[in-house]
Amino acid sequence: MIQRQRPGMNAPSIFFSAMRPFQAARRLSSLDSACALHGHGFEARLVAPQADCRARFRGDEVRALQTMLETPVAALDYRLINERIEEPDDTRLAEWLLSETGLAGKAGLALRSAPDCGAVVDPEGRRLAWRRFRFESAHCLPNVPAGHKCGRMHGHGFEVTLFTAIEPREGATAAQASIARAWHPLQTRLHLACLNDLPGLENPTSEVLGQWIWQGLGDSLPGLAGVTVMETASAGCHFDGERWRIWKSMSFDSAVRLAQAPADDARRMIHGHTFTVRLHLSGSLERVMGWVHDYGDVKRRFDPLFRALDHQPLHEHPGLADNDDASIAEQIESKMAAELPALCRVDVLHTPGCGAVLLRGEDPREALEP
């Protein structure tokens, strides 16, 4: 892979993400219901740098990671997890799965045990628990230019995900309960409200709301590590207490064939995917607008390249050396870096949870974050 260096910007690095679901039962003594047996539809997402994927050829990385997950997931699927892991809360389960893959170094694993909770074990061994909440509210953005649709009063079903660091002696279940308790007063204020009426939210962009939530949690959640706010399924913001990162997701439907696949591999033949691309931008807030970048403007700037990719045979695209996820991500980063100078990450997923993550920053932990 040829990596392009720009003044003041680190050379891009590629990570790959592979997801496998499984069904399993467990008992957790830390639950209020004591040792009651219960079950989940889990999702395990393994993330690793390109060099650690043990791929047979470029474009095989996701399948290679899925293979690494296959054996540990199969050991748990439709089984009682306690038979293999003592007190298998989300973090202990994520740590076990990661260790069973045999990966080390910069690999990490994100586990979802239910639609609204899970855990992350990042490449540095940091353990995070998360909970997701939803509230229905109205807002408008008073400082946008005349005619901007967000200047009109409208509403969203907002989703907020809170991440908290887990202390060495603490389990994920207790941490998730602490998150829920800390969130409850804010839920009461935000749900079925007009955000503009709340002190500090006179200009309630996603970025301002994320910071407001961080500050509102205050001492009630000392381990707080991140706040994610999503106005829609395709637009979100992440705040870590110091900086903001926003993203805009779009999907395109394309035909591909992997030129480096062996002759007997079906991926060498023409096939296709509904790709999801997510463009991430980081930076400080624009003083008047209160955002890192307008979501709509990100979509508008990406539109010419989107049209060149959507409903197209990418194996005939003149700018692509190959059609694998990483090549598409590199092409998008190359074309969009000048249009969007704050671009810090490009995700290209060919199926949910599976694809390439191109990072323009130094921190590999970001490949595991939303």
Side-chain angles (χ1 to χ4, degrees):
M1 176 180 66
I2 299 174
Q3 295 183 326
R4 298 165 294 281
Q5 185 98 27
R6 291 185 177 84
M9 177 61 68
N10 297 300
S13 55
I14 296 286
F15 284 72
F16 289 90
S17 171
M19 190 269 288
R20 278 196 178 275
F22 61 98
Q23 310 289 324
R26 65 180 176 180
R27 293 188 181 93
L28 297 176
S29 61
S30 54
L31 288 177
D32 291 339
S33 53
C35 295
L37 184 66
H38 61 288
H40 295 279
F42 293 91
E43 287 181 356
R45 185 168 68 91
L46 179 63
V47 175
Q50 191 170 34
D52 294 344
C53 290
R54 307 171 194 168
R56 294 181 297 146
F57 57 90
R58 184 180 173 113
D60 187 48
E61 295 88 355
V62 172
R63 184 214 57 82
L65 289 181
Q66 287 180 317
T67 299
M68 293 180 204
L69 271 175
E70 185 174 3
T71 298
V73 164
L76 303 177
D77 198 26
Y78 285 90
R79 288 177 168 83
L80 177 61
I81 299 176
N82 300 69
E83 294 175 353
R84 291 197 173 251
I85 306 168
E86 184 179 356
E87 190 60 23
D89 68 5
D90 289 352
T91 47
R92 292 186 179 93
L93 179 52
E95 288 175 324
W96 185 87
L97 287 165
L98 181 59
S99 67
E100 290 294 305
T101 66
L103 286 173
K106 294 183 177 180
L109 191 135
L111 180 79
R112 185 193 64 76
S113 57
D116 63 349
C117 63
V120 174
V121 179
D122 73 21
E124 295 180 358
R126 186 174 65 154
R127 302 152 70 237
L128 301 174
W130 61 267
R131 287 288 305 268
R132 181 174 295 133
F133 308 94
R134 183 181 177 94
F135 60 92
E136 312 291 327
S137 300
H139 78 160
C140 68
L141 304 185
N143 300 333
V144 296
H148 194 295
K149 68 178 184 179
C150 291
R152 301 190 295 269
M153 184 61 70
H154 60 288
H156 294 287
F158 290 89
E159 289 192 352
V160 170
T161 305
L162 303 179
F163 296 82
T164 185
I166 301 177
E167 297 298 326
R169 295 180 180 274
E170 186 181 20
T173 307
Q176 290 160 349
S178 296
I179 294 172
R181 286 192 299 270
W183 171 253
H184 181 71
L186 294 184
Q187 174 79 17
T188 301
R189 298 182 67 187
L190 294 168
H191 185 52
L192 301 181
C194 176
L195 300 185
N196 302 71
D197 294 338
L198 299 176
L201 289 179
E202 292 80 9
N203 182 29
T205 63
S206 293
E207 293 92 326
V208 170
L209 179 57
Q211 184 180 40
W212 186 90
I213 290 170
W214 181 285
Q215 294 170 342
L217 290 169
D219 296 334
S220 62
L221 199 59
L224 185 62
V227 175
T228 296
V229 175
M230 295 191 68
E231 292 185 2
T232 68
S234 66
C237 168
H238 186 74
F239 181 62
D240 65 5
E242 296 181 358
R243 69 186 187 99
W244 291 265
R245 174 169 50 85
I246 66 124
W247 65 84
K248 179 65 178 174
S249 296
M250 293 144 282
S251 295
F252 56 91
D253 303 286
S254 304
V256 295
R257 61 183 301 269
L258 301 187
Q260 297 186 37
D264 61 349
D265 192 304
R267 289 168 291 179
R268 190 177 177 89
M269 308 299 291
I270 296 175
H271 57 290
H273 300 289
T274 294
F275 290 94
T276 297
V277 60
R278 180 179 277 184
L279 303 181
H280 302 249
L281 291 79
S282 64
S284 57
L285 300 192
E286 201 282 328
R287 184 176 61 85
V288 175
M289 296 300 178
W291 59 36
V292 172
H293 206 105
D294 181 3
Y295 293 128
D297 189 56
V298 173
K299 183 177 180 179
R300 180 183 64 80
R301 290 172 185 253
F302 182 64
D303 189 63
L305 182 54
F306 172 85
R307 292 176 181 273
L309 298 171
D310 185 43
H311 283 75
Q312 300 289 340
L314 298 189
H315 50 285
E316 298 176 3
H317 195 289
L320 285 169
D322 207 344
N323 306 153
D324 60 288
D325 302 329
S327 293
I328 298 171
E330 289 171 332
Q331 169 78 347
I332 292 172
E333 186 269 341
S334 174
K335 295 291 186 181
M336 296 306 301
E339 281 286 323
L340 298 169
L343 187 69
C344 64
R345 170 176 154 185
V346 177
D347 303 350
V348 174
L349 306 179
H350 63 265
T351 57
C354 298
V357 177
L358 181 151
L359 296 180
R360 301 181 77 209
E362 295 181 329
D363 191 349
R365 295 179 304 183
E366 290 193 358
L368 276 163
E369 295 175 352

